[in-house]
Amino acid sequence: MSSTGALSQVGIIRPLMSGLNLAQQEAVNYMHGPCLVLAGAGSGKTRVITHKVARLIQSGMEPRRIAAITFTNKAAAEMRERAKSLVGREAKEVVICTFHALGVRMMRQDGAALGLKPQFSILDTDDVTSILKDAGGTTDAATARQWQWAISTWKNQGLNAAQAEAQARDDNERVTARIMARYEERLTAYQSVDFDDLIGLPLKLLRDHADVREKWQQGLGHVLVDEYQDTNATQYELLKLLVGERGRITAVGDDDQSIYGWRGATLDNLRKLPQDYPTLKVVKLEQNYRSTSAILRAANNVIQPNPKLFPKTLFSELGEGEPVRIVDCDNEEHEAERIVARIQSIRANGMGKDWKDFAVLYRANHQARVFEQALRKAQIPYKVSGGQSFFDRAEIRDLCAWLRLWVNNDDDPAFLRSVTTPKRGIGHQTLQALGTFASKYKLSLFEALFSSSLGSVLPARTVGSLHEFGRYVNDLEFRARHTTGAEDARAFLGDWLKDIGYEKHLYDSEDNEKLAASRWTNVMEFCDWMAQRCGGQIDDTAGVTLASEKKNLLEVAQTISLLSTISEREQDQNVVTLSTLHASKGLEWPHVVLAGCVEGLLPFKPEDEAGKIVDESVVQRLQEERRLMYVGITRAQRSLAVSWSRKRKKGREMVAAMPSRFIAEMALDKSTVKEDPREKLKALRAEFAARKAAAQPAT
Ligand code: ATP
Ligand code: MG
């Protein structure tokens, strides 16, 4: 009996359909052609995807022939869990991942057709900035980031360096296009790709190689895409080639939640779908299962002024619920204080049990700091999501690159980062020659370094420096393997940092001494974190449970590459979430505060200095900001507060602030209550104290 037969025998179809309304069932059961689910927030679009994965398996499709594409790794992890609870272990084989992860998969399998070795490396933004600094001959990170932005835009439009130069509108663009050419040369030499390549190269692969295209189209039985409104033009083309003529695709999305226009996402992808797939079945979902009517009404009112691509109405049967609160404050510290008081008061009166029931959402990363301080002061646990994580910091990434290289000598970007951080006189030309040599002989940079014929392309002195580095890495690897216990590990790491002069490097490369000191503190913290794991004090690293015996440093270092999974585990923590609005997409919390709702932040600088709307692009930006507000409002299940302050920091100055126009657009009626949560908390505490006193036995 086939495993799918077994599944239908245990009768998954009934529970599968019982959690869906009729329209959702229709979308889930439509398996043989293209299907678009177009619906507002919280209407169960993501649920359709998860259930459809289960339904396809149940109908006999092999799990590995199903691909479900999500917007973030975290969303993929969550979807996998849900699919597992519906169909059991078989869900493990379904390809549930982001577009970028799918790109990695494709390039690992078939990238050789484009001259890429399977263990190619993926550069992150930091790596890209430093390669661009080198390619463009600057030390200024801001300039390099501007180039990065332009190059990324071109790549997303499917342009290579020569095409970008041909269509350049001014000298600046021409120069950037030439830098792009040098940047691409470096990437090829290093056998590395950047994030945009993870979409662009698979697209090129499918476009130019009919055999590979055929293989993928045959291999994939159905492709499902969540958050379809935020796909860009290259992703659309890639999807089209993946799906082929048969058009077995299910896309779910909401034009009102398109918030990545600034990164190239285009609603044209929604418009094109019915044209490119004439048999497209469109399903609309109208019921919102997430929010109370009060919250949903505010959301509908805010989005109302935007032009509609597809008209839709949303209703909720969860009752009117608590009115939406406006919290107005004197300044940002005051705002943070009041929001913390609100969280405490909701908890005190039993409306929210756990810290994880609360989220504070804001427009820009820097807004988190004041809330972090207030939460710390109140001893409330929290996490900042969508911001920079500890492991993303440049100094920690430097150290991780070294550790990765000890573990896996073939990790070329780790090699490049280690060999140049701190600088040891091995320059770009040497590395480029080494890279060309390595790819010619299909070797990793580290292997190439020890090749006996390297002397034919590099002078003996340079080869000597490379050998010295290689031997040092081998020596570190050997010592790390024999270092166990927290004390020894701490001593070993301390010696290594001294050897490579890392503290001096931090102070030399950072103008601001205070910043350098704080980076060095992070380094110390990281070493301590590693040492504790060597001592067996902490058993669990990035989802890998280590036995509680002492571990050697190399074994601990091996788990570092799994650290990206830490963020996926974070969601289980019982902590308040601080998040940017962009990072909150697709998620939900019982209690949400939208903070910093002032003009200039949300909407973010919509007009020119004179306060006039100047052109069409400004109008479009404002519409995107409105959608962002809509996304924020619709994250709330039971209660929503919107806060703003009369003064806000702009650079070093304090400036007067106006409430966001979106607050007025929410058209909250008289049921909107202006409250001071601190007063409410005081009253609750007094009541609690009185009750406690009354309960005390008389002495
Ligand atoms: P968003 O637009 O924010 O991504 P969405 O349309 O993807 O939202 P989901 O996250 O799938 O919506 O669903 C929102 C909430 O409603 C979830 O808690 C989900 O479990 C619940 N839900 C969805 N459909 C149903 C249903 N038919 N019956 C009960 N609850 C449902
Ligand atoms: Mg969703």
Side-chain angles (χ1 to χ4, degrees):
M1 186 171 54
S2 78
S3 54
T4 28
L7 274 172
S8 38
Q9 281 221 336
V10 294
I12 67 161
I13 186 138
R14 193 188 44 78
L16 198 62
M17 289 302 154
S18 68
L20 301 174
N21 62 32
L22 286 177
Q24 286 173 318
Q25 289 186 23
E26 198 186 350
V28 166
N29 281 319
Y30 187 76
M31 290 178 282
H32 300 293
C35 175
L36 170 67
V37 179
L38 191 74
S43 58
K45 297 183 295 298
T46 303
R47 184 180 274 220
V48 163
I49 298 249
T50 320
H51 280 65
K52 193 154 182 177
V53 167
R55 179 76 182 93
L56 286 161
I57 295 176
Q58 187 264 335
S59 75
M61 188 173 284
E62 282 175 81
R64 62 183 176 79
R65 298 191 62 224
I66 303 168
I69 302 174
T70 58
F71 204 71
T72 61
N73 287 326
K74 198 159 123 189
E78 216 170 278
M79 188 173 287
R80 186 177 302 285
E81 275 310 304
R82 288 197 199 165
K84 226 159 76 189
S85 69
L86 287 172
V87 290
R89 287 219 324 267
E90 282 197 287
K92 258 174 53 184
E93 284 178 45
V94 181
V95 183
I96 302 182
C97 61
T98 60
F99 265 110
H100 290 93
L102 182 67
V104 175
R105 204 177 263 255
M106 295 175 69
M107 296 310 289
R108 289 226 194 281
Q109 282 184 32
D110 298 305
L114 298 179
L116 208 60
K117 67 178 187 182
Q119 64 278 29
F120 67 89
S121 300
I122 301 152
L123 305 172
D124 64 22
T125 323
D126 265 13
D127 296 319
V128 170
T129 314
S130 56
I131 295 176
L132 274 171
K133 276 190 200 166
D134 191 37
T138 180
T139 53
D140 182 30
T143 310
R145 277 197 293 270
Q146 273 171 12
W147 294 333
Q148 195 170 343
W149 184 260
I151 292 171
S152 171
T153 309
W154 284 330
K155 284 195 175 188
N156 280 322
Q157 292 167 353
L159 301 176
N160 62 27
Q163 290 162 328
E165 187 170 354
Q167 57 111 63
R169 287 166 303 186
D170 54 35
D171 281 349
N172 192 16
E173 286 192 1
R174 256 184 295 281
V175 169
T176 312
R178 277 179 217 139
I179 293 170
M180 178 177 179
R182 293 205 284 276
Y183 167 74
E184 292 293 303
E185 269 166 35
R186 280 162 176 74
L187 257 54
T188 310
Y190 304 157
Q191 286 287 295
S192 301
V193 302
D194 61 24
F195 285 137
D196 297 316
D197 290 336
L198 291 177
I199 312 296
L201 292 178
L203 174 58
K204 191 169 156 52
L205 187 65
L206 296 192
R207 214 182 249 161
D208 301 348
H209 298 270
D211 52 332
V212 182
R213 183 169 66 240
E214 189 69 14
K215 182 188 112 178
W216 279 90
Q217 289 182 355
Q218 292 300 327
L220 287 176
H222 206 105
V223 179
L224 303 100
V225 190
D226 199 4
E227 307 279 3
Y228 178 70
Q229 74 282 354
D230 282 321
T231 51
N232 64 28
T234 356
Q235 286 164 338
Y236 183 75
E237 291 305 316
L238 177 61
L239 269 178
K240 241 171 93 175
L241 290 178
L242 271 176
V243 168
E245 296 280 302
R246 284 188 310 170
R248 301 237 171 120
I249 180 174
T250 300
V252 312
D254 177 5
D255 49 323
D256 288 335
Q257 292 187 71
S258 159
I259 54 175
Y260 281 92
W262 56 282
R263 228 167 56 181
T266 169
L267 284 174
D268 283 347
N269 290 357
L270 271 172
R271 290 190 196 97
K272 273 196 226 152
L273 216 51
Q275 294 156 17
D276 288 351
Y277 300 94
T279 60
L280 182 76
K281 180 179 184 67
V282 180
V283 177
K284 292 189 180 177
L285 309 175
E286 319 251 35
Q287 180 163 1
N288 171 299
Y289 289 93
R290 178 180 293 149
S291 314
T292 61
S293 297
I295 293 167
L296 203 57
R297 196 166 52 244
N300 286 337
N301 289 343
V302 157
I303 204 64
Q304 198 268 332
N306 269 16
K308 292 272 162 287
L309 196 57
F310 298 92
K312 50 185 148 44
T313 40
L314 262 190
F315 68 94
S316 160
E317 284 184 344
L318 298 175
E320 176 62 17
E322 284 279 300
V324 175
R325 313 272 165 164
I326 304 297
V327 185
D328 47 5
C329 312
D330 300 332
N331 54 46
E332 286 163 349
E333 282 74 24
H334 183 214
E335 185 177 353
E337 209 179 285
R338 289 190 66 174
I339 285 174
V340 168
R342 176 179 168 86
I343 293 173
Q344 287 170 317
S345 113
I346 291 178
R347 221 167 149 260
N349 71 23
M351 259 179 76
K353 284 198 312 288
D354 295 318
W355 293 123
K356 66 171 163 28
D357 290 346
F358 298 89
V360 180
L361 311 179
Y362 39 79
R363 178 69 176 79
N365 274 317
H366 68 82
Q367 290 174 268
R369 208 172 47 85
V370 56
F371 293 103
E372 284 192 70
Q373 282 163 350
L375 288 163
R376 235 181 277 142
K377 199 164 138 203
Q379 297 188 321
I380 297 176
Y382 68 88
K383 67 168 184 209
V384 183
S385 101
Q388 198 192 30
S389 105
F390 187 71
F391 293 96
D392 287 338
R393 292 173 201 275
E395 60 279 15
I396 304 303
R397 288 167 33 79
D398 284 345
L399 307 192
C400 285
W402 277 87
L403 300 179
R404 268 161 46 199
L405 189 62
W406 303 348
V407 175
N408 172 16
N409 294 163
D410 287 338
D411 187 335
D412 287 359
F415 176 95
L416 291 171
R417 192 160 180 140
S418 311
V419 79
T420 51
T421 320
K423 292 228 177 318
R424 51 174 61 240
I426 297 176
H428 159 63
Q429 280 186 339
T430 302
L431 292 173
Q432 192 168 28
L434 183 68
T436 313
F437 181 87
S439 60
K440 183 169 167 199
Y441 294 103
K442 301 207 175 352
L443 300 170
S444 71
L445 294 172
F446 199 84
E447 285 170 326
L449 170 167
F450 285 117
S451 160
S452 53
S453 47
L454 186 63
S456 63
V457 293
L458 282 170
R461 200 169 47 83
T462 314
V463 174
S465 314
L466 285 169
H467 280 178
E468 193 190 326
F469 175 73
R471 278 196 299 269
Y472 180 52
V473 170
N474 280 341
D475 179 46
L476 286 169
E477 179 187 331
F478 177 82
R479 280 158 56 201
R481 197 183 298 285
H482 293 92
T483 301
T484 51
E487 278 319 303
D488 284 0
R490 210 168 276 125
F492 170 79
L493 292 168
D495 286 350
W496 159 57
L497 289 174
K498 218 178 278 161
D499 275 355
I500 61 172
Y502 194 74
E503 187 176 8
K504 181 173 178 311
H505 159 78
L506 278 185
Y507 280 88
D508 287 351
S509 52
E510 188 60 71
D511 292 340
N512 181 339
E513 206 164 295
K514 247 188 167 159
L515 208 59
S518 110
R519 284 173 181 248
W520 181 242
T521 310
N522 290 338
V523 168
M524 294 286 95
E525 208 176 297
F526 177 74
C527 290
D528 207 54
W529 182 91
M530 292 281 297
Q532 279 181 25
R533 276 154 179 82
C534 282
Q537 283 122 307
I538 298 172
D539 281 350
D540 181 75
T541 310
V544 177
T545 307
L546 305 171
S548 52
E549 80 248 20
K550 291 183 176 181
K551 290 274 155 190
N552 77 44
L553 198 49
L554 211 59
E555 285 166 316
V556 175
Q558 257 161 357
T559 60
I560 300 250
S561 57
L562 297 169
L563 277 175
S564 60
T565 59
I566 271 191
S567 57
E568 281 149 25
R569 287 162 49 80
E570 266 177 7
Q571 67 212 38
D572 301 330
Q573 294 171 357
N574 189 13
V575 297
V576 172
T577 300
L578 298 181
S579 170
T580 60
L581 286 161
H582 281 101
S584 76
K585 205 171 71 150
L587 305 176
E588 58 191 18
W589 293 269
H591 306 283
V592 169
V593 178
L594 297 187
C597 290
V598 293
E599 286 290 302
L601 272 177
L602 186 65
F604 191 69
K605 294 187 201 136
E607 293 135 350
D608 70 350
E609 288 303 313
K612 284 203 307 273
I613 290 185
V614 279
D615 62 29
E616 190 53 26
S617 71
V618 176
V619 174
Q620 281 173 6
R621 258 191 358 241
L622 189 59
Q623 287 169 358
E624 181 149 320
E625 294 290 305
R626 187 174 283 118
R627 294 194 288 266
L628 198 55
M629 182 77 178
Y630 174 78
V631 167
I633 297 172
T634 52
R635 299 309 97 199
Q637 294 171 304
R638 295 179 60 192
S639 88
L640 174 70
V642 180
S643 70
W644 69 281
S645 71
R646 285 178 197 81
K647 281 196 205 113
R648 69 177 180 102
K649 277 196 205 85
K650 195 175 176 192
R652 294 208 176 130
E653 273 176 77
M654 291 297 283
V655 295
M658 298 278 289
S660 164
R661 67 192 71 188
F662 300 144
I663 294 183
E665 287 181 8
M666 284 161 85
L668 304 168
D669 52 32
K670 358 182 222 322
S671 63
T672 308
V673 179
K674 289 199 173 193
E675 66 161 16
D676 186 343
R678 287 173 309 175
E679 290 304 318
K680 202 165 164 193
L681 186 62
K682 232 189 268 170
L684 277 166
R685 282 197 173 134
E687 190 189 318
F688 183 65
R691 264 195 271 147
K692 202 167 154 193
Q696 294 280 335
T699 49

